[in-house]
Amino acid sequence: MEEKSNSTVFLRPRFSLEIDRSQQDILSVLESELCYLKEKYKARISDHHVFIDVCKKDSHFWSPHLHLEILVKEKNSSTIKGLFSPKPQVWTLFMFLHFVVGISFLAFLTMLYVYSTLDKSILLPLMMSIFLPIIWISLYFVGRIGRDFGKKQMQELHDFLIESFPEN
């Protein structure tokens, strides 16, 4: 089993595993393992995609969500591509906040230009044009800190996947 990871840079760490098994074999192993561990993980399988979440009793705001995609490489060889992300609700909230901050920043830059050409007070648009990028950068760091809170559970999910295919 060969593992590739580029998780040090991204808020949503990714990895891939090369496994000497067919796609259907991998899906059936994961389905049986997840059924056995249903008190620890909540999972959905759809075609060649597997979505794994931490069960509700161990879950917190920053708990990770693991999306696995099993791709056929050769007849009896497959690649598992994994993507860790926040729960979809948390991810949507963060994307919404980024969108609101970005649009507000553009609106205040426009206000700054218009107010300056009309010789009106530019204090509010200027302050907001400085303050909003700080909020935007802060959101990034909050996401990084949140990822660190979920790191233990990400490692447990990753270990579960590795332990599911011990012979590779």
Side-chain angles (χ1 to χ4, degrees):
M1 173 171 36
E2 179 184 331
E3 181 176 359
K4 300 175 194 168
S5 177
N6 59 358
S7 61
T8 57
V9 180
F10 300 101
L11 280 177
R12 295 173 29 158
R14 303 167 190 269
F15 64 91
S16 70
L17 300 170
E18 305 291 331
I19 303 221
D20 296 327
R21 289 186 179 205
S22 70
Q23 183 184 51
Q24 281 308 111
D25 191 26
I26 291 171
L27 286 169
S28 63
V29 167
L30 285 174
E31 188 172 15
S32 66
E33 290 287 328
L34 288 166
C35 191
Y36 177 72
L37 293 170
K38 64 184 170 195
E39 70 282 344
K40 191 168 183 171
Y41 302 118
K42 182 174 56 169
R44 291 180 326 277
I45 298 176
S46 176
D47 293 328
H48 59 279
H49 295 271
V50 180
F51 305 93
I52 306 172
D53 292 302
V54 178
C55 73
K56 212 165 194 81
K57 70 177 172 77
D58 296 329
S59 183
H60 53 78
F61 185 76
W62 297 108
S63 287
H65 170 80
L66 176 58
H67 171 218
L68 301 173
E69 183 178 12
I70 294 92
L71 303 170
V72 176
K73 188 175 172 186
E74 295 171 10
K75 185 178 179 183
N76 283 323
S77 180
S78 301
T79 301
I80 299 177
K81 293 195 175 265
L83 171 65
F84 285 105
S85 65
K87 292 182 272 190
Q89 302 88 333
V90 174
W91 187 251
T92 303
L93 172 69
F94 265 77
M95 289 301 100
F96 174 75
L97 291 174
H98 277 281
F99 178 76
V100 167
V101 169
I103 295 297
S104 298
F105 176 71
L106 293 175
F108 279 108
L109 276 181
T110 304
M111 258 176 78
L112 179 64
Y113 173 73
V114 170
Y115 280 22
S116 67
T117 57
L118 295 175
D119 290 327
K120 290 178 103 179
S121 172
I122 61 169
L123 183 62
L124 176 67
L126 181 62
M127 286 177 50
M128 292 306 288
S129 297
I130 293 169
F131 185 63
L132 285 169
I134 294 169
I135 291 175
W136 207 344
I137 292 168
S138 299
L139 282 172
Y140 173 78
F141 285 109
V142 166
R144 294 280 304 214
I145 291 167
R147 184 184 72 179
D148 290 342
F149 279 122
K151 212 169 226 167
K152 181 177 179 250
Q153 289 177 330
M154 279 195 315
Q155 188 62 49
E156 288 171 5
L157 283 166
H158 186 265
D159 292 346
F160 156 74
L161 184 63
I162 298 298
E163 291 164 6
S164 295
F165 302 99
E167 66 277 357
N168 281 324

